[in-house]
Amino acid sequence: MLRNKLLIRIITFGIGLFVMAFGVALSVKADLGVSPISCIPYVYSLKIPFTLGQLTIVFNLFLMVLQMAVLRKNYRVLQLIQLPVVFAFGMFIDLAMNMVTFISVSNYAWKVFWCLLSCVILAFGVFLEVKAKITYLPGEGLAMAIAETFKKEFGKAKIGVDSAMVVVGIVSSFLFLNQLLGIREGTVVAAILVGFIAKFYGRKLQFVDAWLSVNEPKEEVEELSKHNVVITISREYGSGGHEIGKRLAKRLGIAFYDKNLIDITAKESGYTADYISKNEQKLAHSLLFELYEQNYAYVSEKQPPLDTLFLVQSKIIREIAAKESCVIVGRCANFVLKDKPKCFNVFVHADKKYRKSRITGNYGIHASVTDHELEKTDRERANYCLHFTGKNWRDAANYNLTVDSSLIDANTIVNTIITAVEKE
C-alpha cells in the first residue's frame, strides 16, 4: 500500500513538472514576459546557442549550489533529490517548446490570452508538485534555505529570491541584448497570479489530498464538553468588551481569557509574546496579505505565520472550552466554537464619542483618538475575521446578543447576558 502511494506521488510529481514546463513554453509564446523563475535562463537563451531547457538546468544547478552555500553544515543529503528533478524539468521545457511551435501570436489580445492561460497551467503544475510532497524546485529550495538560516518568514524570502531573479534578468538583458526582452507585464502577472490560482486549486480540488495521502493515524481531538458554558465577547475597539467580559466571569465564578491567551499561545507556538501581541486579531490589508500569502502555495512544509498563529489559538480555545466554563474575549472564538453546545456569543459596540472617551480615560492614552484610529483597528479585526472564517465580523446574525455599551452601563449588560444565557 505504501509503495503504491509513493508511486502515485512520484507520477503526480512528474505530471506536475511537465505541466509547469508546458506553462513556461506558453508564456514564451505569449511574448509578454516569462515567470520570475524562467526569466534568467530565457534571457541567456537569446544570447548563447543553448536551448531554454538546457539553460534552465544550468541555472537550477546554480541555485542548488547557492542552497548548499547558505545552509552549509545544515544541508541535508536528501535535498539532492532535486538533482534529477532539475534535469527532468529542463528536458520537459524543451519538449514543451517543440509542442507549441504551431502557436502563432498575431496581436496583443492573443498575447494576453496565452499569457493568462500559461499562468493557469503553470499554477496547476505547481499545485500537483506541492501536493505530491516529493521535493520542490531549487528556487523554492533557496527561499527555504534563506528562511531557515536567517530566521526569516518563507514568504518574505521567496519574494526576495523572485525579485532578485527579475533584477538579474533585467540587467542581463540590457547588458547582453541592449534591450529589455523576456521580462514584461506578463512576468508581473505570473508572479501575482500563479500562487493565487494554485491556492484556488488547493481549495477546490481537495480530493487530490485523499487520493495521494497515506492512511496516517488521525490526531485525536478532545471532544467539547456539553456541560461547560462558554461566553465569547467580540467587540469594537474602545467599546468596553474586555471590562464587560471580566465582570461577567467574576459574577459567574468562571475563568476569564483575553490577554492571558497571548502567553499560552507563545508557549504552544514558539512565537514570542511580543510578536503575538502585535499580530494577533489584526490584518491591515487583506489584499496585500493575500498577495504575500500566495507565496506559500509553492511549498507544503511552510505556512504563513498568521495562519499558524490562528490555528494554534483555535486549538487552545477549543481545549479551554472542553475543559471548563469560561469567558473568552476576541480571537474569533465565536466562530472557532461554532459547533459547541452552550456557547453564547456577544458583540459589544458603541458610538465613536463614547469609545474615544473610554480609550483616553481607561487605556492610559493621553493624546486624542481620531476616527481614523478607531476605524483602522476595527477594520484590522474585521479583515482578520473574514480571512480566517469567511464571516462578516459585524454581522449581527453571527451573535446571540449585540449590545450598545454607550447606552447601557456595564453591570446592566452583564445582567442581561446572564439572563439570556440562563434561558438558553
Side-chain angles (χ1 to χ4, degrees):
M1 183 64 178
L2 290 174
R3 286 184 178 179
N4 289 341
K5 286 291 184 180
L6 179 59
L7 180 61
I8 291 172
R9 285 177 181 272
I10 293 172
I11 292 172
T12 302
F13 187 85
I15 293 172
L17 274 185
F18 178 75
V19 172
M20 289 175 65
F22 197 78
V24 170
L26 285 182
S27 71
V28 172
K29 278 294 181 179
D31 196 30
L32 286 181
V34 295
S35 62
I37 190 66
S38 298
C39 63
I40 295 176
Y42 179 71
V43 167
Y44 281 89
S45 72
L46 300 176
K47 178 66 177 178
I48 57 181
F50 290 96
T51 66
L52 176 58
Q54 291 168 342
L55 289 173
T56 297
I57 292 172
V58 172
F59 178 61
N60 278 279
L61 289 174
F62 173 70
L63 293 180
M64 287 185 65
V65 172
L66 286 182
Q67 284 181 53
M68 296 177 187
V70 171
L71 290 171
R72 289 183 284 188
K73 63 180 181 181
N74 293 322
Y75 187 83
R76 297 177 293 275
V77 177
L78 186 62
Q79 289 171 265
L80 289 174
I81 196 175
Q82 293 176 31
L83 196 58
V85 171
V86 165
F87 283 93
F89 187 50
M91 289 187 290
F92 284 157
I93 286 177
D94 282 343
L95 175 60
M97 290 294 292
N98 289 328
M99 292 174 65
V100 299
T101 53
F102 69 94
I103 296 175
S104 177
V105 181
S106 56
N107 55 51
Y108 191 79
W110 276 108
K111 288 184 178 184
V112 171
F113 169 78
W114 290 114
C115 176
L116 294 177
L117 182 60
S118 74
C119 290
V120 171
I121 292 174
L122 188 56
F124 187 64
V126 169
F127 164 74
L128 292 178
E129 176 205 343
V130 171
K131 289 299 179 184
K133 295 182 180 178
I134 299 295
T135 185
Y136 31 79
L137 288 174
E140 283 68 56
L142 178 59
M144 290 184 71
I146 292 171
E148 179 182 329
T149 303
F150 300 103
K151 310 302 179 187
K152 302 292 183 182
E153 294 175 16
F154 171 79
K156 293 179 180 178
K158 187 173 189 308
I159 289 173
V161 169
D162 287 352
S163 300
M165 290 177 184
V166 172
V167 169
V168 172
I170 291 172
V171 172
S172 299
S173 184
F174 280 116
L175 280 177
F176 300 114
L177 304 175
N178 298 316
Q179 58 182 317
L180 183 60
L181 294 175
I183 303 163
R184 289 181 52 184
E185 58 269 39
T187 304
V188 178
V189 169
I192 294 173
L193 281 188
V194 172
F196 269 129
I197 301 171
K199 283 183 64 181
F200 173 80
Y201 287 136
R203 290 192 298 268
K204 297 299 181 181
L205 304 179
Q206 294 183 6
F207 66 89
V208 175
D209 287 310
W211 182 53
L212 293 174
S213 65
V214 177
N215 293 327
E216 299 169 347
K218 293 183 178 179
E219 181 182 354
E220 292 185 9
V221 179
E222 189 173 1
E223 184 180 355
L224 294 175
S225 171
K226 295 180 180 179
H227 305 292
N228 296 336
V229 175
V230 178
I231 302 171
T232 72
I233 308 284
S234 301
R235 74 284 184 227
E236 288 185 329
Y237 178 47
S239 63
H242 174 89
E243 179 188 348
I244 291 168
K246 196 168 186 178
R247 291 191 186 193
L248 181 62
K250 187 175 182 180
R251 280 279 303 277
L252 293 173
I254 59 179
F256 175 68
Y257 291 95
D258 187 1
K259 294 189 182 301
N260 49 343
L261 281 170
I262 293 174
D263 293 327
I264 299 172
T265 304
K267 292 177 183 177
E268 292 277 341
S269 67
Y271 293 116
T272 65
D274 182 59
Y275 177 87
I276 295 169
S277 178
K278 290 178 180 177
N279 290 278
E280 65 159 4
Q281 307 182 82
K282 296 176 184 177
L283 195 59
H285 302 285
S286 55
L287 178 59
L288 290 178
F289 183 75
E290 285 285 348
L291 286 172
Y292 167 72
E293 191 183 42
Q294 58 96 9
N295 289 287
Y296 288 84
Y298 294 86
V299 293
S300 58
E301 290 89 342
K302 302 285 184 180
Q303 63 180 354
L306 276 188
D307 284 23
T308 302
L309 199 56
F310 179 77
L311 291 173
V312 171
Q313 279 196 338
S314 297
K315 178 175 178 288
I316 291 168
I317 288 169
R318 285 193 292 269
E319 289 173 346
I320 288 171
K323 181 179 65 175
E324 61 184 341
S325 295
C326 59
V327 175
I328 302 175
V329 176
R331 282 88 184 172
C332 299
N334 56 316
F335 298 109
V336 172
L337 301 175
K338 65 182 185 300
D339 298 322
K340 183 191 181 335
K342 293 189 177 182
C343 183
F344 192 84
N345 305 308
V346 180
F347 186 79
V348 182
H349 60 98
D351 63 53
K352 291 180 179 178
K353 182 179 178 181
Y354 174 81
R355 291 159 63 193
K356 290 177 184 177
S357 175
R358 283 200 79 263
I359 291 169
T360 54
N362 296 10
Y363 296 1
I365 299 175
H366 302 294
S368 59
V369 180
T370 65
D371 288 355
H372 174 73
E373 289 174 291
L374 292 179
E375 292 165 1
K376 177 177 178 290
T377 301
D378 288 342
R379 185 171 59 251
E380 288 174 345
R381 291 176 179 177
N383 286 341
Y384 186 88
C385 179
L386 181 63
H387 178 78
F388 289 107
T389 71
K391 301 293 184 180
N392 184 346
W393 177 66
R394 281 196 168 95
D395 187 350
N398 294 319
Y399 305 94
N400 300 102
L401 176 69
T402 62
V403 59
D404 187 336
S405 58
S406 64
L407 301 178
I408 312 172
D409 67 87
N411 284 328
T412 303
I413 293 174
V414 168
N415 291 334
T416 302
I417 294 172
I418 292 173
T419 300
V421 169
E422 288 174 347
K423 289 182 178 180
E424 279 283 304

